[in-house]
Amino acid sequence: MKFICIGRNYAEHIAELQHAPPSEPVFFMKPESAITRCNRPFFIPDFSKEVHYETEVIVKINRLGRSIQERFAHRYYDEIGLGVDFTARDLQRKCIQEGEPWEIAKAFDGSAVVGSFFPKEELPDAQDLHFHLLLNGQKVQCGHTRDMLFSIDKIIAYVSRFVMLKMGDIIFTGTPVGVGAVHINDHLQGFLEERKAFDFKVK
Ligand code: MG
């Protein structure tokens, strides 16, 4: 499996990082080895001094597809969850400045926290979902999927023009405003429509 991650999908987050809004979805990938699951701790890597949390709605692909039409994209996932796209912001800034790929900042071991998934039919419409992150009990990120620049179906259609989607692939759909650094012993809890999707410590 692979992780496909969308960058710059919420206007206020784009503004906080002082980027320009994209005209097409921006995506990058993480390998399977990036996964952190089952509320295991996240370990801050030694190569970064500024690792940020990015809370994101995640979608699990349930069948093989390429060049999927947007109107059929909803058939390619039946579970929605919440995860964290951990990002070595200091390294990412350097990559962007130097015009280099983002992998060292995004694809490192443990950087893709996968929380619980919930069946689509138990949730409101995919573009009508609230989610939030508590950092040490304080709400630091709060998003709504209606604010995505590119909807989940649009993302699936766009990405599958370039990369075949396979069963078990997970799409991270972008983070809202409020990203910030994590520190040792931080406690992160994520909620999707008030359902707890992850609960873990930073080590
Ligand atoms: Mg992200």
Side-chain angles (χ1 to χ4, degrees), residues 2-189:
K2 57 190 176 288
F3 296 99
I4 294 154
C5 308
I6 305 300
R8 305 177 187 172
N9 204 22
Y10 287 85
E12 290 179 31
H13 169 65
I14 294 169
E16 78 180 333
L17 293 187
Q18 298 172 319
H19 292 135
S23 55
E24 301 275 18
V26 172
F27 74 90
F28 57 90
M29 295 199 279
K30 299 188 190 230
E32 188 170 4
S33 49
I35 197 167
T36 294
R37 59 159 66 116
C38 300
N39 294 326
R40 297 242 168 80
F42 168 75
F43 293 90
I44 297 178
D46 60 6
F47 49 73
S48 173
K49 293 189 165 47
E50 191 186 358
V51 173
H52 279 196
Y53 56 80
E54 295 188 356
T55 308
E56 308 195 6
V57 169
I58 57 178
V59 168
K60 194 189 285 176
I61 297 297
N62 63 5
R63 59 162 113 174
L64 190 129
R66 66 192 339 167
S67 297
I68 299 162
Q69 290 182 51
E70 187 178 337
R71 67 197 163 107
F72 297 132
H74 64 98
R75 298 181 185 173
Y76 287 79
Y77 62 100
D78 43 31
E79 289 179 282
I80 300 175
L82 201 66
V84 181
D85 164 23
F86 274 112
T87 303
R89 193 71 69 203
D90 46 356
L91 299 186
Q92 187 195 30
R93 219 176 276 125
K94 189 163 174 281
C95 292
I96 290 171
Q97 272 166 12
E98 295 175 5
E100 288 173 354
W102 295 4
E103 267 78 358
I104 59 167
K106 287 284 197 180
F108 57 87
D109 292 349
S111 64
V113 172
V114 174
S116 301
F117 282 94
F118 306 99
K120 238 180 0 189
E121 58 271 16
E122 286 181 12
L123 295 168
D125 183 82
Q127 298 306 139
D128 188 21
L129 299 174
H130 292 94
F131 56 101
H132 70 269
L133 173 70
L134 299 183
L135 175 66
N136 303 323
Q138 303 277 358
K139 195 181 280 191
V140 291
Q141 273 196 297
C142 193
H144 194 285
T145 54
R146 80 163 97 81
D147 297 325
M148 289 181 178
L149 300 183
F150 303 103
S151 69
I152 293 169
D153 290 352
K154 181 119 196 154
I155 290 166
I156 288 173
Y158 183 78
V159 169
S160 69
R161 285 170 56 193
F162 304 94
V163 178
M164 186 194 292
L165 298 180
K166 291 183 144 183
M167 190 188 295
D169 287 351
I170 293 175
I171 301 181
F172 277 70
T173 59
T175 195
V177 71
V179 300
V182 287
H183 303 94
I184 288 175
N185 291 326
D186 279 349
H187 180 202
L188 279 75
Q189 296 168 286

